Amino acid sequence: MTTLEQKLHFDTIIERVEKARLRVNDHHIVKIVAASKYVDAEAIKSLYEIGQRAFGENKVQDLMSKSEALDALPIEWHFIGTLQKNKINHLLSVRPHLLHSIDSIELAHALNERLERDNMTLRALVQVNSAYEESKSGFLPEVFHENYTRILEECPRLHLQGIMSIGAHVDDPKIVAKSFEITRQIFDSLPGATICSMGMSSDFELAIECGSNMVRLGSVLFPKA
Ligand SMILES: *Cc1c(COP(=O)(O)O)cnc(C)c1O
């Protein structure tokens, strides 16, 4: 795509986000995180140049190499994938803006320890498996609240900001909406939470209508990739 085509395409996505958020209310602001795992640093730079600032990667190695390649740009890097404990040092070396995917107490403790040692803090979300799918990470809804509050209490270096979920992997929008509604209900009950990260290319409008205020968009933003 030419730069102009890319800009026009990006505008259509922003417009879809805009329409969905206005169906919630005027004050419902939604942030777009561009999930850049399908593309190289060059493509990230092009999207940056037409205004996108937040990018998310789901592999620590890719986050490291792309953030290094684009070091000169003030990009806000998010980590959205499953994090293995042996990758914590590498992740923290990038100083990401937000980790979306705390999915166990063990991971939270390991992160807290490392942050403590390096005298750092990290903004993070805790992942919920509100679709009850075995292939998905995250706490089940029934035990989410107790684990979230436990991390709040036991891991002061983690600055918890809210919740993340991946919508049900099915075609029936009613079932997808159900998983988003479960996430939203939990979000509303969390002390101090401000971020509800849910919605991807196939379901972001529905996610926004169910209360998401942060969408992670990949394939829809990078159509040729
Ligand atoms: C890849 C990815 C996305 C974006 O997926 P698309 O369907 O391409 O929009 C969102 N969230 C996570 C955790 C991802 O890994």
Side-chain angles (χ1 to χ4, degrees):
M1 282 199 281
T2 64
T3 306
L4 178 60
E5 280 168 347
Q6 196 182 16
K7 183 166 186 337
L8 291 173
H9 176 72
F10 190 47
D11 287 348
T12 66
I13 306 304
I14 289 178
E15 199 168 312
R16 285 173 61 187
V17 168
E18 189 64 11
K19 285 197 172 131
R21 78 160 191 94
L22 289 172
R23 287 196 284 273
V24 180
N25 69 56
D26 286 3
H27 308 285
H28 188 76
I29 305 301
V30 175
K31 175 159 179 161
I32 299 175
V33 176
S36 46
K37 62 175 174 242
Y38 312 108
V39 301
D40 60 11
E42 203 51 44
I44 294 176
K45 187 158 181 272
S46 325
L47 199 59
Y48 171 88
E49 280 166 356
I50 57 178
Q52 178 63 24
R53 288 294 175 271
F55 290 85
E57 287 288 333
N58 70 336
K59 294 210 174 77
V60 173
Q61 194 53 49
D62 293 346
L63 177 65
M64 286 179 75
S65 59
K66 292 177 190 178
S67 64
E68 197 178 341
L70 299 167
D71 198 28
L73 305 179
I75 286 178
E76 182 184 300
W77 290 104
H78 293 234
F79 189 75
I80 62 179
T82 301
L83 178 62
Q84 281 152 0
K85 275 188 279 182
N86 61 4
K87 302 278 168 58
I88 290 176
N89 287 343
H90 284 319
L91 177 78
L92 295 183
S93 72
V94 172
R95 299 192 171 259
H97 178 78
L98 181 68
L99 166 65
H100 286 233
S101 44
I102 293 181
D103 58 5
S104 74
I105 292 289
E106 294 71 38
L107 177 64
H109 281 151
L111 279 161
N112 191 64
E113 233 168 74
R114 223 65 57 88
L115 290 161
E116 176 87 48
R117 195 190 62 196
D118 299 341
N119 195 24
M120 287 171 66
T121 58
L122 177 66
R123 278 184 290 268
L125 309 177
V126 180
Q127 186 170 352
V128 62
N129 184 357
S130 51
Y132 293 89
E133 287 171 7
E134 263 185 49
S135 59
K136 287 189 167 67
S137 310
F139 294 102
L140 289 174
E142 289 74 12
V143 297
F144 188 90
H145 201 278
E146 68 197 65
N147 282 289
Y148 189 93
T149 31
R150 200 174 148 196
I151 296 169
L152 269 183
E153 283 164 13
E154 297 176 5
C155 305
R157 296 274 164 172
L158 287 170
H159 290 179
L160 294 191
Q161 317 270 297
I163 194 165
M164 183 275 244
S165 81
I166 298 175
H169 187 66
V170 293
D171 290 331
D172 184 348
K174 284 204 199 78
I175 295 175
V176 182
K178 181 73 197 157
S179 67
F180 288 149
E181 277 154 12
I182 290 172
T183 305
R184 165 63 193 277
Q185 265 174 19
I186 299 171
F187 170 64
D188 286 340
S189 78
L190 300 174
T194 57
I195 300 177
C196 179
S197 167
M198 60 184 186
M200 307 179 14
S201 293
S202 59
D203 55 22
F204 68 93
E205 286 144 310
L206 185 58
I208 292 168
E209 284 162 30
C210 293
S212 166
N213 60 16
M214 184 174 280
V215 292
R216 308 176 308 270
L217 304 182
S219 42
V220 80
L221 284 184
F222 302 103
K224 284 258 179 87

